[in-house]
Amino acid sequence: MTSDSSEKLPEFKFSLTDQKARELPLGWAKQATVQDFPVSKNIAGVLMKLEPLGLRELHWHANAAEWGFVISGNVRTTIINPEGQYETNDFKEGDVWYFPRGHGHSIEGLGPDGTTFMLVFDNGSFSEFATFSITDWLSQTPPEIVAKNLFVDLSELKDLPSKEVYITGIKEKLINKKLNSSPLTHKYSLLSQNPLRDCDGGKLWLVSSLEFPISTTMCGGTLTLKPEALRELHWHPNADEWLYVISGKIRLTVFASSGLSSVLELSEGEIGYTPAGYGHSIENTGEIDCRLLIVFNSGVYEEISLTSWLSSNPDELVAANLNLSGDIVRKFPDKEEFIISQKKK
Ligand code: MN
Ligand code: MN
């Protein structure tokens, strides 16, 4: 990395740990939007904790779909689509949800310990003026209209909140009114499946619209790497990559073309962002296995790895291009490695 890089390149790293939380009695949220993290134009994230009976109230997002990953605990969601079809689901650690843009939903923390989850949105500006909460809406509407709409007297609405509550509490255990009717499920139990890639140095669990058809605009999952393991140099032709370190330490390299690049050290609670098409690699630099959440703003997962690309070209071409002898080029891997467990001699 040259000194020019830092002048011409945006910052590809952001610490969620350092963000101030929006705190309420039954939960909190920390967000990384494009306002906080300028490179993240196409993907934003919210880390949320809900205590048991804590409710992230009924709301929708006007400009983004929501992809959720349960980091710990148990959680329940409700959702409705424009056809009037609804679904209620319970989620545990390692489960994923996907809510299409604009569809109304709620999220409830369940016992015994509540839940911590990451929400990822396919728009860096999902938050500002684009999240529509039911209490905000009803408090902004003339009470006569609300009363008429809901078949009640004005006096019966005196306890309606006067502004957005965001996270509120449920007073008693919920009884679901309706059975599920949505033809496509919003839930996918990712960590109950076999990993998509299972290498000596680590594993990738990934869910895309292939296995989870409702998830048309996003895909993602979990990457684990053993100490020293390297997710090799690669790029994604079709999507930005949003990465969150759940545990461990990594080195992320980002190549931006035109002689510009960035090498970033990330640890727990930090986000890395690689724009579509940028070359990158991820190495575990810690003493323990690292666990990463990685999310893309496309329902289709696409990648091209360095070893796959080079091994598919004639050795003579690669040798001439890299100014190396054919003997050296023939030592390169003869197929895609994906994750390299340690430095080969
Ligand atoms: Mn939401
Ligand atoms: Mn990648």
Side-chain angles (χ1 to χ4, degrees):
M1 186 172 64
T2 66
S3 60
D4 281 343
S5 290
S6 57
E7 289 159 29
K8 293 177 184 169
L9 279 179
E11 181 63 71
F12 295 109
K13 165 180 156 174
F14 180 80
S15 173
L16 204 54
T17 307
D18 296 343
Q19 282 296 97
K20 193 172 154 29
R22 183 171 181 178
E23 295 220 42
L24 289 140
L26 288 173
W28 55 256
K30 286 184 176 189
Q31 67 180 28
T33 71
V34 70
Q35 279 82 18
D36 317 299
F37 185 24
V39 74
S40 69
K41 290 184 180 66
N42 300 321
I43 306 178
V46 175
L47 182 67
M48 190 173 288
K49 162 82 186 174
L50 292 175
E51 302 296 340
L53 301 184
L55 178 72
R56 173 69 182 98
E57 69 167 316
L58 291 162
H59 67 281
W60 72 93
H61 308 283
N63 64 358
E66 172 177 320
W67 189 97
F69 179 85
V70 182
I71 295 172
S72 68
N74 296 293
V75 51
R76 175 173 298 160
T77 66
T78 69
I79 180 149
I80 190 164
N81 73 16
E83 287 73 46
Q85 297 160 325
Y86 30 80
E87 190 175 33
T88 301
N89 284 120
D90 286 3
F91 297 80
K92 63 180 189 312
E93 181 177 333
D95 290 346
V96 169
W97 66 75
Y98 178 87
F99 298 153
R101 174 169 57 91
H103 295 198
H105 55 277
S106 73
I107 310 171
E108 178 197 350
L110 299 178
D113 301 318
T115 178
T116 301
F117 51 89
M118 183 67 79
L119 303 173
V120 187
F121 300 88
D122 59 356
N123 188 331
S125 351
F126 88 97
S127 178
E128 216 70 5
F129 311 117
T131 291
F132 291 74
S133 292
I134 192 165
T135 51
D136 192 13
W137 189 17
L138 297 186
S139 65
Q140 293 296 321
T141 303
E144 298 76 15
I145 291 180
V146 178
K148 185 175 181 179
N149 201 146
L150 296 179
F151 293 9
V152 295
D153 292 331
L154 208 49
S155 61
E156 294 175 286
L157 293 176
K158 63 176 174 15
D159 292 335
L160 204 61
S162 59
K163 61 180 177 56
E164 184 189 42
V165 301
Y166 191 69
I167 294 171
T168 186
I170 292 168
K171 295 190 177 70
E172 50 202 300
K173 199 165 179 293
L174 300 184
I175 295 162
N176 286 314
K177 281 202 249 184
K178 292 170 176 171
L179 297 173
N180 293 342
S181 72
S182 174
L184 287 183
T185 183
H186 299 80
K187 173 179 172 178
Y188 188 81
S189 289
L190 179 60
L191 293 188
S192 306
Q193 316 296 318
N194 291 324
L196 178 69
R197 304 297 299 249
D198 192 345
C199 306
D200 289 344
K203 292 177 183 166
L204 173 69
W205 282 264
L206 188 109
V207 58
S208 70
S209 56
L210 277 181
E211 308 84 16
F212 190 28
I214 202 165
S215 177
T216 53
T217 67
M218 301 176 79
C219 65
T222 298
L223 177 69
T224 60
L225 294 174
K226 291 181 181 162
E228 295 182 41
L230 174 70
R231 169 70 182 100
E232 67 162 308
L233 290 162
H234 67 283
W235 74 98
H236 305 283
N238 67 333
D240 295 6
E241 175 172 335
W242 188 96
L243 173 163
Y244 174 73
V245 183
I246 298 173
S247 59
K249 285 191 167 119
I250 59 165
R251 178 173 297 136
L252 172 67
T253 70
V254 179
F255 166 58
S257 86
S258 313
L260 297 173
S261 64
S262 195
V263 177
L264 304 153
E265 309 292 333
L266 279 79
S267 54
E268 191 172 320
E270 294 187 309
I271 296 168
Y273 198 94
T274 305
Y278 282 32
H280 56 288
S281 68
I282 304 167
E283 185 181 19
N284 184 348
T285 52
E287 313 273 298
I288 57 161
D289 287 13
C290 69
R291 191 170 166 225
L292 314 174
L293 187 63
I294 52 170
V295 188
F296 303 89
N297 59 333
S298 168
V300 176
Y301 179 72
E302 288 187 353
E303 55 109 340
I304 300 175
S305 285
L306 179 69
T307 52
S308 175
W309 191 25
L310 293 185
S311 65
S312 69
N313 273 286
D315 292 344
E316 299 73 15
L317 184 156
V318 175
N321 196 154
L322 301 183
N323 194 33
L324 297 171
S325 74
D327 285 346
I328 291 173
V329 166
R330 279 184 285 276
K331 294 181 181 176
F332 291 179
D334 59 5
K335 60 175 175 34
E336 185 184 41
E337 288 286 320
F338 198 75
I339 294 168
I340 293 156
S341 56
Q342 61 206 4
K343 194 171 172 186
K344 299 283 195 275
K345 60 167 184 345

